[in-house]
Amino acid sequence: MMKSAYFQSVSSSRGYWLISAIAGVITLAGLIGAEHMESAGHWVTGMSNQVVWGVPHVFAIFLIVAASGALNTASIASVFARDDYKPLARLSALLAIALLSGGLAVLVLDLGRPDRLIVAMTHYNFKSIFAWNIFLYIGFMFIVGIYLWMMFEPRMNRFTARVGTAAFIWRLVLTTGTGSIFGFLVAREAFDSAVMAPLFIVMSLSFGTALTLLIGMLIFWINGATMDPALAQKLRRLLGFFVIGVAYLVAVDHLTKLYVTGHHQLEQFILVDGGIYTLLFWGVQILLGTVVPAILLLLPRFCQRGYLIAAALLVVVGALTQVYVLIIGGQVFPLELFPGYSVTSTFYDGVIADYTPSLAELALGMGGMGLAVLVTLIGVRILPFVPVQMTGKNQD
Amino acid sequence: MDMKNSSPRRTFFTQASAGVALLALAPGVRLVDLALARAQDEPASAAQRWGLLVDVDRCVSGCDACVSACNTEHGLGDSERPQTDAQWIRKVDLVDHNTGRQLSLPLMCQHCEEPPCVDVCPTGASFRRADGIVLVDKHTCIGCRYCMMACPYKARSFIHEDLTGQKTHAPRGKGAVESCTLCVHRVDRDESPACVEACTDAGREALVFGDINDRNDPLATQLAETTTRELRADLKLNTAVRYRGL
């Protein structure tokens, strides 16, 4: 069993402070963007009464989905008893909390009334998936916190597997809840699908593993070490299969809609003549975010670290694009209220809505990423999250 | 006697006489209405369900009397940013793909019996009154806009900027979501919504307001006698706004 002595906190170094400063500046920019949006109002964003959820939601959903997936490594170690993944278990749990913090911060700061957060914590409509998610997110933080305690405290190590199993089940439910935010939107044909819940679960596995690899490697680099190549290769193959899994469910979603005549116009828009959305779907989500990384991750000839980093980065870019096409593309396509009629109105009925993200909302979204990295950096500095044998120094 | 002192008394007697005369002239109409009205401190009752009938054959393209009346009634302004301006009611022009038939109709919150906006609202700010009017509690709306994602009719607006000059009967503010209230403040005074009144004043009479549950109500009578349809009937939301001639 992995003991506390095998882990260390990250020591102070120029690299640590440099990355912390970059993450801090990005987080600060996010806060400035949020303050601008809240004081001026949302008209300073690209959002409107047509596109009500913009880029902040894209980042928030990406981070929240990735958070549950970041717990993969810890789950594999504790739930599936794979000791070779244990060196990364603590870091993976920390990442889960950090990414969720970043995502929730963006979600809250994008509210029309973020000052009423206390209302959201004290007034619940239990039929709302959003309300369920508030409990799922808080519960996830709590359970992963307990999970970390079990991992950190030698006397509690014997409970790690049991708490890890509870956390694993919780993260599956959490991602089901996040997917259902969209899946239960019966009014909008782009979202109203039972595929959303399993799609979001597989997305979480892929996004979370990619970020575990990237941020994990960054932390090791800061600490003057490299990730254990054998473990990196295992995660590489795993990520490759997760990318294929996401592609499969994306295909199922579109094929299901293509079968239904009523959805043909939506599919025509996303897949064929949707302009930027079609370009993003095929060019970035499918080609750069799925095909290229799948090749880099699954073909043995691309096993070098450089390819792995490139592939993980492409998965992240593809993931953000996927969430963008899903959320924004799904909203710009007009609601069909009058089948068989062409529709015009002063409220943009029947037309593809415009959406161009503004700097303020991009800053807020990126700020969530910055905050996630910042929380991780603070965590690894004050507590022993990083395995000693992977640092290349202080070998036990 | 001092004129200043006698004036209110004289006014009182004048108004009282007029009131008695009115009751004497039209006892049936007014007394029935008064019997139906509820006191200000009395809660809304499920015995009533307020609704609207839109007669599409009477609605004219280019006429926006209902929209203007709504904007005036609730203080909805024009910020010169049409994509973010609130619209509680809008005119929609339709052209039938097959026949070329042209239609025009008003579209607003449909005051569903099973409102998706109420289902998804995390704080319960979106709610349905006992008498069927769907409203937003501006004190507990956190501006998450999930209701706007869920509304099948795109009937809700988010307030994207600071507002000034709001009406006391229509509290509105930046960062919250709002939509047609069916002029709840007027309904509670036994008056018709502003859009209905404006449509009648414009000579169209394309909007009929009333109590769906009251068989003697003109709205309920018309709903019983003619074929009407609800928008997105496939969702089975049982809307309180029905369309005839669509």
Side-chain angles (χ1 to χ4, degrees):
Chain A
M1 185 171 285
M2 186 61 56
K3 288 185 182 146
S4 186
Y6 291 99
F7 291 87
Q8 63 176 14
S9 56
V10 169
S11 53
S12 176
S13 67
R14 191 174 293 177
Y16 178 85
W17 292 112
L18 175 71
I19 301 297
S20 298
I22 293 170
V25 167
I26 294 171
T27 308
L28 186 66
L31 286 173
I32 293 169
E35 197 282 330
H36 181 50
M37 282 167 57
E38 299 309 330
S39 59
H42 273 61
W43 74 271
V44 298
T45 70
M47 288 176 255
S48 62
N49 286 323
Q50 287 57 246
V51 179
V52 299
W53 286 352
V55 150
H57 270 78
V58 172
F59 280 93
I61 297 293
F62 166 77
L63 286 166
I64 291 167
V65 167
S68 72
L71 202 64
N72 283 347
T73 320
S75 300
I76 295 168
S78 329
V79 182
F80 302 103
R82 292 285 301 267
D83 282 357
D84 39 349
Y85 286 84
K86 274 193 175 168
L88 273 182
R90 291 182 178 189
L91 190 59
S92 111
L94 172 64
L95 268 177
I97 291 177
L99 291 168
L100 188 58
S101 308
L104 290 181
V106 176
L107 210 56
V108 168
L109 291 172
D110 183 50
L111 291 175
R113 296 295 303 262
D115 55 311
R116 289 184 179 167
L117 184 61
I118 191 70
V119 174
M121 310 298 277
T122 52
H123 291 65
Y124 288 106
N125 165 25
F126 288 102
K127 201 177 177 187
S128 166
I129 311 277
F130 247 21
W132 299 358
N133 275 285
I134 292 170
F135 283 102
L136 289 171
Y137 299 152
I138 294 170
F140 185 72
M141 291 260 195
F142 179 75
I143 208 164
V144 176
I146 302 280
Y147 189 18
L148 275 170
W149 177 35
M150 300 298 119
M151 286 193 268
F152 271 95
E153 173 55 55
R155 286 171 299 172
M156 305 302 275
N157 282 169
R158 60 203 166 101
F159 298 115
T160 305
R162 265 176 264 177
V163 178
T165 305
F168 179 67
I169 294 167
W170 196 277
R171 53 88 66 218
L172 288 179
V173 178
L174 183 146
T175 326
T176 303
T178 312
S180 299
I181 288 175
F182 298 95
F184 285 12
L185 287 173
V186 292
R188 294 183 184 260
E189 49 186 304
F191 303 128
D192 174 28
S193 164
V195 178
M196 285 295 153
L199 172 63
F200 270 59
I201 290 174
V202 185
M203 280 158 65
S204 81
L205 299 173
S206 172
F207 303 177
T209 306
L211 283 181
T212 304
L213 271 164
L214 287 172
I215 301 179
M217 284 178 169
L218 182 72
I219 301 291
F220 287 122
W221 173 79
I222 287 170
N223 219 25
T226 52
M227 191 182 280
D228 174 15
L231 183 51
Q233 286 307 310
K234 284 176 184 161
L235 287 172
R236 172 175 168 259
R237 266 174 61 80
L238 210 52
L239 181 56
F241 288 121
F242 290 153
V243 168
I244 298 289
V246 173
Y248 173 71
L249 279 175
V250 167
V252 169
D253 184 33
H254 285 289
L255 287 170
T256 312
K257 289 198 173 86
L258 281 167
Y259 191 81
V260 181
T261 310
H263 292 322
H264 285 181
Q265 282 185 311
L266 167 72
E267 287 303 311
Q268 170 91 10
F269 173 70
I270 297 288
L271 303 179
V272 182
D273 54 18
I276 184 69
Y277 301 99
T278 303
L279 185 68
L280 286 173
F281 177 78
W282 289 113
V284 185
Q285 180 184 337
I286 298 300
L287 183 64
L288 290 179
T290 304
V291 177
V292 176
I295 291 169
L296 293 179
L297 293 165
L298 294 173
L299 292 187
R301 71 162 73 171
F302 299 113
C303 65
Q304 294 93 330
R305 238 166 59 90
Y307 287 124
L308 176 55
I309 294 171
L313 275 172
L314 284 173
V315 170
V316 170
V317 171
L320 280 164
T321 308
Q322 178 182 5
V323 182
Y324 188 94
V325 171
L326 181 75
I327 296 182
I328 312 290
Q331 288 177 87
V332 296
F333 189 76
L335 292 174
E336 188 169 33
L337 282 171
F338 304 97
Y341 291 92
S342 62
V343 186
T344 51
S345 81
T346 53
F347 209 45
Y348 304 92
D349 288 285
V351 295
I352 304 295
D354 288 332
Y355 176 75
T356 309
S358 75
L359 192 60
E361 60 188 313
L362 279 168
L364 173 57
M366 286 299 294
M369 306 274 261
L371 181 64
V373 174
L374 207 55
V375 170
T376 310
L377 287 170
I378 293 168
V380 296
R381 182 84 180 89
I382 58 176
L383 285 171
F385 277 102
V386 184
V388 172
Q389 62 266 49
M390 281 181 151
T391 64
K393 58 185 180 187
N394 300 330
Q395 288 279 353
D396 197 337
Chain B
M1 189 181 283
D2 189 344
M3 286 299 285
K4 278 184 184 171
N5 289 335
S6 67
S7 179
R9 192 182 302 166
R10 187 182 299 163
T11 310
F12 168 75
F13 280 121
T14 310
Q15 288 176 345
S17 307
V20 169
L22 182 70
L23 287 174
L25 282 171
V29 175
R30 197 58 209 160
L31 283 176
V32 166
D33 280 357
L34 285 172
L36 286 174
R38 58 185 176 81
Q40 285 288 316
D41 57 349
E42 200 181 323
S45 163
Q48 290 164 319
R49 186 172 181 213
W50 300 113
L52 270 179
L53 172 64
V54 180
D55 190 338
V56 179
D57 291 329
R58 288 175 177 266
C59 188
V60 178
S61 180
C63 172
D64 67 349
C66 53
V67 177
S68 303
C70 177
N71 291 348
T72 307
E73 181 72 21
H74 302 102
L76 271 61
D78 183 358
S79 69
E80 297 180 353
R81 288 186 293 272
Q83 293 194 342
T84 54
D85 279 344
Q87 293 196 34
W88 291 13
I89 180 171
R90 61 191 190 268
K91 281 298 296 292
V92 177
D93 290 316
L94 308 173
V95 179
D96 190 314
H97 285 154
N98 293 324
T99 63
R101 181 188 175 215
Q102 296 187 1
L103 305 168
S104 186
L105 52 88
L107 187 57
M108 72 296 277
C109 173
Q110 304 287 297
H111 299 279
C112 314
E113 188 176 32
E114 306 284 347
C117 57
V118 173
D119 288 346
V120 302
C121 178
T123 65
S126 286
F127 68 102
R128 183 177 175 275
R129 238 169 61 144
D131 57 7
I133 300 178
V134 176
L135 297 168
V136 179
D137 180 346
K138 302 295 166 51
H139 298 287
T140 50
C141 174
I142 57 173
C144 72
R145 285 117 56 212
Y146 197 19
C147 57
M148 298 175 73
M149 292 289 281
C151 176
Y153 309 104
K154 200 168 166 251
R156 294 201 152 190
S157 296
F158 177 70
I159 302 307
H160 289 73
E161 63 268 294
D162 280 313
L163 300 178
T164 52
Q166 293 97 317
K167 307 279 177 112
T168 50
H169 58 256
R172 309 174 58 224
K174 181 180 75 179
V177 173
E178 56 186 39
S179 60
C180 160
T181 63
L182 211 59
C183 281
V184 66
H185 59 288
R186 293 168 62 106
V187 171
D188 283 346
R189 293 195 309 247
D190 257 356
E191 295 172 18
S192 295
C195 56
V196 177
E197 193 176 275
C199 188
T200 305
D201 290 347
R204 311 287 181 208
E205 296 186 333
L207 294 173
V208 180
F209 171 76
D211 179 4
I212 297 172
N213 289 347
D214 179 4
R215 290 193 175 182
N216 297 318
D217 189 284
L219 171 66
T221 311
Q222 292 198 45
L223 288 176
E225 289 173 354
T226 56
T227 304
T228 62
R229 57 170 284 197
E230 54 184 308
L231 302 181
R232 288 300 307 266
D234 57 314
L235 297 176
K236 298 186 175 172
L237 303 174
N238 191 12
T239 58
V241 179
R242 300 295 172 108
Y243 290 82
R244 179 165 60 195
L246 184 60

